[in-house]
């Protein structure tokens, strides 16, 4: 064995010498370029069971020794590319997961290679500034004041949590941080439409307020919050001695993409001194379109907004963004200054220490991939892509309306819902609703397993509907035009299978 002294270079097993990094990195990028080319030819998903999926990994114990990086990356690339559900596929329209911008993948590589810790400015000088610029640009894009506070978080749930917690701190007029909810006999109350995403129950639970504190506001026939019912509920709580503190409006609800009457809700919130939060996780980027300015009027009055770059800004996961009108509100809710952190932030020119603005301490450089995409295509690029997605969703709605075996449901933003109705049930669709629900539920499963197209579902007025959400810059008209006949073909086959024999 060679004798080691202080001058022998350290041989750490994880280090990749620069030449090897270059070689395996280039090979990986080459394979990924092929993967992008191959996407339209691949199934959207294999639809395999967990048990089958596990067989690709085997059950070996943790390896005691390692293997060569090039061989390992070649194998892992094939495994991940072949065994994944591809939300980057042009025919993926399930849930709200976008096709991710390729520049975002390169951005994540760059971010991970330099690896700044964006918890404190001193540890991440340029990354912190890029995050600040990203937040300002997102605000500017949707017409929100650019001197707002904000930060990148993991996604829509986390961004909404940040708004919720800032609201709770701002509206509790006792020492909430020290005494918690025990510091006050009055009960907190909050308001949201029935179409709100389940992040709300999660944070009501986690924050110790409890889900009973949520007052569910009725929606109208086009899935929007009813402001008159909101007022009634607030009045009831005031009378009962509770403390209304938060109203949550949707700017693109998760099921149907409905945009609540934001300006009306803002006025009610202001009148009652309630924090006005907008969940725009999915829909807020559409506010960049001039033709949608009227629908989003009132967004600019929000005390806080959640927006997911990993949805309609086409960023790779994970990227959420929380915006808060008054930056001090974030510090009020999240800043503790331990003795082991002596990061100064006094004057306005000082850099932001992001650990004081949100729940995380150490933080990755999530902003980079978003910032790169914003710069690669600019505002005009986003206007074009978002507008095209909406046009495709409307085209789909028109096609299902015209199709003899399909029934159109809702159409808001880039979400279209519809269902399969066998011709003999068409007249009696009302009475046959239970049968149709069962049939369409099975149809969603069948479509998802086949991997030819991918849609998810929505339940609206007790009707189980197929739901296509287009946040996908790879989708073409031809892809959309193929969907109605595929659904009808599979619906017919399934109906023949399920129908009781005569
Ligand atoms: C997707 C979504 C969420 C949750 O966002 P995640 O990024 O999945 O955490 C919350 N609200 C709305 C309206 C959404 O569309």
């Amino acid at each position: 064995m060679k004798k080691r002294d202080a001058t022998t270079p350290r041989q750490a097993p994880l280090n990749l010498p620069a030449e090897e990094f270059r070689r395996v990195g280039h090979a990986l990028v080459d394979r990924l370029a092929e993967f992008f080319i191959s996407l339209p030819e691949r199934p959207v998903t294999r639809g395999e069971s967990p048990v089958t999926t596990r067989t690709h990994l085997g059950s070996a114990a943790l390896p005691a020794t390692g293997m060569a990086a090039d061989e390992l990356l070649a194998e892992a690339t094939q495994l991940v590319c072949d065994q994944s559900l591809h939300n980057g596929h042009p025919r993926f329209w399930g849930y709200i997961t976008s096709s991710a911008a390729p520049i975002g993948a390169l951005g994540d590589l760059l971010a991970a290679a330099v690896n700044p810790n964006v918890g404190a400015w001193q540890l991440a000088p340029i990354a912190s500034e890029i995050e600040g610029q990203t937040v300002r640009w997102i605000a500017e894009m949707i017409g929100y004041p650019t001197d707002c506070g904000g930060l990148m978080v993991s996604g829509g749930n986390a961004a909404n949590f940040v708004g919720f917690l800032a609201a709770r701190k701002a509206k509790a007029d006792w020492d909430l941080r020290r005494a918690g909810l025990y510091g006050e006999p009055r009960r907190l109350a909050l308001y949201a439409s029935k179409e709100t995403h389940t992040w709300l129950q999660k944070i009501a639970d986690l924050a110790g307020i409890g889900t009973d504190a949520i007052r569910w506001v009725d929606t109208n026939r086009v899935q929007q919050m009813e402001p008159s019912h909101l007022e009634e509920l607030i009045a009831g709580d005031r009378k009962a001695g509770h403390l209304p503190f938060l109203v949550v409006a949707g700017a693109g609800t998760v099921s149907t993409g409905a945009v609540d009457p934001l300006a009306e809700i803002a006025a009610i919130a202001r009148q009652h001194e309630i924090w006005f939060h907008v969940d725009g996780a999915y829909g807020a980027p559409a506010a960049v379109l001039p033709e949608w300015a009227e629908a989003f009027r009132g967004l600019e009055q929000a005390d806080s907004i959640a927006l997911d770059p990993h949805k309609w800004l086409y960023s790779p996961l994970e990227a959420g963004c929380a915006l808060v009108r008054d930056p001090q509100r974030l510090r009020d809710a999240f800043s503790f200054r331990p003795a082991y952190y002596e990061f100064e932030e006094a004057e306005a020119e000082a850099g932001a220490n992001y650990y004081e603005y949100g729940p995380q301490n150490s933080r990755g450089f999530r902003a980079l991939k978003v910032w790169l995409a914003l710069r690669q295509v600019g505002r005009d690029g986003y206007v074009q892509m978002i507008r095209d997605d909406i046009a495709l969703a409307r085209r789909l709605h028109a096609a299902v309306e015209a199709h003899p075996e399909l029934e159109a449901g809702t159409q808001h933003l880039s979400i279209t819902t519809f269902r399969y109705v066998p011709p003999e049930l068409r007249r009696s669709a009302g009475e046959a609703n239970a049968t149709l629900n069962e049939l369409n539920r099975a149809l969603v499963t069948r479509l998802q397993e086949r991997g030819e197209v991918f849609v998810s579902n929505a339940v609206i007025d007790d009707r189980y509907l197929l739901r296509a959400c287009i946040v996908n810059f790879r989708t073409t008209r031809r892809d959309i035009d193929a969907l109605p006949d595929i659904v009808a073909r599979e619906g017919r086959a399934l109906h023949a299978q399920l129908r009781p024999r005569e």
Side-chain angles (χ1 to χ4, degrees):
M1 211 167 115
K2 224 165 82 192
K3 204 152 147 241
R4 296 178 60 164
D5 60 31
T7 62
T8 314
R10 180 172 167 183
Q11 298 287 332
L14 264 183
N15 195 25
L16 274 186
E19 268 319 306
E20 195 181 347
F21 181 83
R22 195 191 312 277
R23 193 167 46 78
V24 301
H26 282 177
L28 174 62
V29 168
D30 284 343
R31 285 192 201 99
L32 291 179
E34 291 305 319
F35 164 70
F36 288 135
I37 293 171
S38 74
L39 267 174
E41 273 70 56
R42 289 174 180 264
V44 182
T45 172
R46 301 211 163 200
E48 285 176 348
S49 71
V51 171
T52 309
T53 304
R54 267 170 227 146
T55 61
H56 300 293
L57 294 184
S59 54
L62 171 71
T65 56
M67 66 185 283
D70 52 356
E71 199 189 322
L72 174 58
L73 278 171
E75 187 201 299
T77 310
Q78 191 173 4
L79 179 70
V80 174
C81 290
D82 290 353
Q83 306 303 329
S84 289
L85 174 147
H86 298 300
N87 45 39
H89 193 288
R91 295 190 178 184
F92 178 83
W93 308 302
Y95 308 102
I96 313 185
T97 309
S98 62
S99 250
I103 200 165
L106 297 172
D108 264 354
L109 174 63
L110 173 56
V114 178
N115 198 34
N117 185 339
V118 201
W121 193 93
Q122 192 196 0
L123 303 180
I126 197 64
S128 299
E129 294 303 320
I130 287 175
E131 179 155 346
Q133 187 164 61
T134 306
V135 165
R136 284 192 298 279
W137 281 350
I138 289 174
E140 183 180 342
M141 186 173 186
I142 62 171
Y144 198 58
T146 52
D147 59 355
C148 65
L151 78 169
M152 306 299 299
V153 292
S154 58
N157 265 33
N160 282 302
F161 290 1
V162 166
F164 182 104
L165 294 168
R168 187 179 66 153
K169 174 67 186 88
K171 295 300 174 185
D173 50 14
W174 65 97
D175 190 354
L176 176 81
R177 299 193 84 189
R178 199 178 47 79
L181 298 174
Y182 301 115
E184 170 66 34
R186 277 176 307 168
R187 296 257 179 139
L188 290 165
L190 62 134
Y191 309 85
S193 97
K194 292 170 182 157
E195 296 291 319
T196 307
H197 188 281
T198 52
W199 66 265
L200 188 60
Q201 285 99 322
K202 255 193 195 180
I203 190 63
D205 173 22
L206 290 172
I209 290 175
T211 54
D212 280 355
I214 306 170
R215 314 293 191 241
W216 297 107
V217 187
D218 290 343
T219 48
N220 63 17
R221 288 182 49 216
V222 283
Q223 294 81 39
Q224 295 171 312
M225 183 188 284
E226 285 278 14
S228 57
H229 189 220
L230 171 64
E231 291 205 276
E232 251 175 65
L233 290 170
I234 294 172
D237 281 323
R238 286 228 184 282
K239 220 166 156 193
H242 300 320
L243 177 59
F245 81 104
L246 167 69
V247 54
V248 175
T253 53
V254 62
S255 240
T256 70
V259 180
D260 285 332
L262 303 176
E264 270 181 84
I265 297 167
I268 295 168
R270 194 171 332 110
Q271 186 196 335
H272 294 277
E273 296 181 6
I274 298 175
W275 184 281
F276 174 43
H277 174 78
V278 176
D279 179 4
Y282 153 56
V288 73
L289 302 178
E291 63 270 31
W292 280 83
E294 182 52 29
F296 283 93
R297 201 168 48 82
L299 182 68
E300 73 290 346
Q301 298 177 51
D303 291 301
S304 55
I305 298 175
L307 182 155
D308 257 349
H310 69 210
K311 287 178 175 169
W312 228 350
L313 298 183
Y314 314 99
S315 163
L317 296 158
E318 302 168 344
C321 179
L323 301 173
V324 175
R325 172 178 296 277
D326 177 358
Q328 184 58 37
R329 297 301 191 184
L330 285 177
R331 253 174 290 170
D332 290 348
F334 293 105
S335 171
F336 282 101
R337 293 197 166 188
Y340 48 86
Y341 277 1
E342 291 187 347
F343 300 117
E344 283 312 316
E345 186 187 324
E347 317 89 66
E349 310 86 64
N353 292 317
Y354 279 107
Y355 82 94
E356 292 190 87
Y357 290 78
Q360 273 183 275
N361 193 62
S362 290
R363 300 172 73 246
F365 191 6
R366 286 200 182 93
L368 183 60
K369 58 193 168 193
V370 182
W371 184 81
L372 286 169
L374 289 169
R375 289 192 60 189
Q376 189 199 347
V377 303
R379 172 193 292 263
D380 292 351
Y382 275 101
V383 165
Q384 183 191 326
M385 293 184 291
I386 293 171
R387 188 178 277 156
D388 285 350
D389 282 345
I390 293 173
L392 288 170
R394 289 179 170 173
R395 185 181 177 91
L396 174 62
H397 194 254
V400 295
E401 261 182 335
H403 200 289
E405 290 162 276
L406 302 177
E407 180 185 280
T410 60
Q411 205 302 300
H412 302 299
L413 291 174
S414 67
I415 298 178
T416 293
T417 60
F418 57 101
R419 64 177 175 175
Y420 173 71
V421 180
E424 77 258 31
L425 296 181
R426 191 128 185 126
R427 289 253 182 86
S428 58
E431 296 142 55
N433 197 44
T435 310
L436 288 172
N437 283 355
E438 190 192 343
L439 178 59
N440 281 279
R441 182 176 286 119
L443 180 53
V444 168
T445 306
R446 182 182 177 104
L447 289 166
Q448 291 185 348
E449 282 171 359
R450 288 178 59 88
E452 190 178 2
V453 295
F454 197 101
V455 298
S456 52
N457 77 287
V459 178
I460 299 158
D461 300 331
D462 203 30
R463 286 189 307 163
Y464 190 99
L465 302 169
L466 281 65
R467 167 182 172 286
C469 174
I470 301 161
V471 282
N472 192 336
F473 59 82
R474 292 194 176 94
T475 300
T476 64
R477 282 193 204 162
R478 189 206 286 255
D479 294 315
I480 287 297
D481 292 349
L483 181 59
D485 282 340
I486 292 172
V487 171
R489 183 192 72 209
E490 296 305 318
R492 228 175 286 134
L494 197 59
H495 181 53
Q497 243 174 24
L498 296 179
R499 186 173 35 198
R501 294 211 182 180
E502 253 95 304

